[in-house]
Amino acid sequence: MQTLAAVLRATGAARPYADSRPLSLETVTLDPPGRDEVRVAIKAAGLCHSDLSVINGDRPRPLPMALGHEAAGVVEALGPGVIDLAVGDHVVMVFMPSCGHCEPCAGGRPALCEPGAAANGRGELLAGGRRIHDAAGDLNHHLGCSAFAAHAVVSRRSLVKVDRDLPFEHAALFGCAVLTGVGAVVNTAQVRAGQSVAVIGLGGVGLSSVLGALAAGASPVIAVDLSEEKLALARSLGPVQTVNAADPDAVEQVRSLTGGGADFVFEMAGAAAALEAAWRMTRRGGTTVTAGLPPPEAALAVNIVQLVAEERTLKGSYIGTCVPARDIPRYVALFRQGRLPVDRLLSGTIPPADINAAFDALADGHAVRTVVRF
């Protein structure tokens, strides 16, 4: 079948993207779903910094690529072997498919699936190969999803079924922002009630971490960012204290508010300088967690004596150390209870034609989560 998709053919386009238009809306050909694959009619797809980092060249990916990885939609067709979904089901996409058989998957850590990571790196689906084509040949899949499109063929293992009454623009956020941000708090760090938390970087993932910390009963919860608008949004979510990262004494402010440093500091800005600040904000015996994805050459120098003598922990968190089939329904339940107001992160919805300008707003820090509606 033919469908509409946002295709990236070269990285490093000049800003503003509204003029240079790195993403072109093109009619592409989509193969039928193969074994254990599903065709989804995309209804809503969120714009994430992980998409932006491909557009600007910070995260190299094979090109040309149909971009997008955070989405929700409706099952439209089933490939052979798919027996636990039905046409008409509503689903959320997950950008790391899990094979269920490799060592990480067998150990209960599907976010680290080895075949899934390899397929994502090649721009293929989990079973191998590509299902999107234009007149010149194959187009690469973005993280197994390619969700900035009217339709997508994905692995069954890239989908989690959700209730049909969950609005698509809210459902989409659970596939990346919520899964990554909340998961970093409750899965990776396992924050307990009464422990102190600071979050650096208040994009969709960082603000989801703030929501996760509040839901876990952390106290105090401190949000750190350069944007006063985002700091105000963080304060509106609950009992959150804020620090502007531009303040010369931002680290000392956090250490003062937490009596010597936070038990857990989450770096969600995707910058080495932010991770270095997060390390300095962490108390003796505390844990620094990063889910940010800076350019591959970024590095952090850690004082080894401090690491040992203060019994510090530095942890990475990918997709919130999630088990998607378990965690997404749990987080949706918390959302319905009012304990995880994910809808507050939605900056607005746009038509596909406005996608390049929307990435300008994301790059400038003016948006948390903008969603494309198809």
Side-chain angles (χ1 to χ4, degrees), residues 113-142:
C113 176
E114 292 166 347
N120 281 358
R122 295 191 302 266
E124 299 181 349
L125 293 190
L126 183 62
R130 298 161 182 85
R131 312 291 182 267
I132 317 169
H133 319 281
D134 63 9
D138 294 340
L139 299 176
N140 291 289
H141 296 268
H142 187 209

Side-chain angles (χ1 to χ4, degrees), residues 318-343:
Y318 192 57
I319 326 180
T321 317
C322 71
V323 179
R326 175 197 69 191
D327 291 339
I328 288 179
R330 288 181 177 179
Y331 300 159
V332 170
L334 289 172
F335 169 60
R336 292 188 181 280
Q337 295 165 16
R339 297 171 60 192
L340 207 62
V342 171
D343 55 316

Side-chain angles (χ1 to χ4, degrees), residues 121-179:
R122 295 191 302 266
E124 299 181 349
L125 293 190
L126 183 62
R130 298 161 182 85
R131 312 291 182 267
I132 317 169
H133 319 281
D134 63 9
D138 294 340
L139 299 176
N140 291 289
H141 296 268
H142 187 209
L143 301 176
C145 297
S146 292
F148 294 150
H151 303 85
V153 169
V154 302
S155 168
R156 166 64 186 91
R157 295 182 176 275
S158 295
L159 299 174
V160 174
K161 183 180 175 180
V162 294
D163 295 336
R164 295 192 182 193
D165 62 345
L166 184 65
F168 289 114
E169 62 268 27
H170 299 158
L173 306 186
F174 286 89
C176 177
V178 178
L179 205 57

Side-chain angles (χ1 to χ4, degrees), residues 228-244:
E228 285 295 337
E229 184 179 1
K230 290 181 178 178
L231 293 172
L233 175 56
R235 289 192 295 270
S236 75
L237 297 175
V240 177
Q241 301 180 65
T242 56
V243 171
N244 193 304

Side-chain angles (χ1 to χ4, degrees), residues 216-268:
S219 180
V221 175
I222 303 166
V224 183
D225 199 272
L226 294 167
S227 166
E228 285 295 337
E229 184 179 1
K230 290 181 178 178
L231 293 172
L233 175 56
R235 289 192 295 270
S236 75
L237 297 175
V240 177
Q241 301 180 65
T242 56
V243 171
N244 193 304
D247 293 347
D249 63 342
V251 171
E252 290 307 315
Q253 287 185 54
V254 172
R255 293 184 67 85
S256 176
L257 289 168
T258 55
D263 295 312
F264 296 93
V265 183
F266 297 87
E267 185 279 309
M268 302 300 189

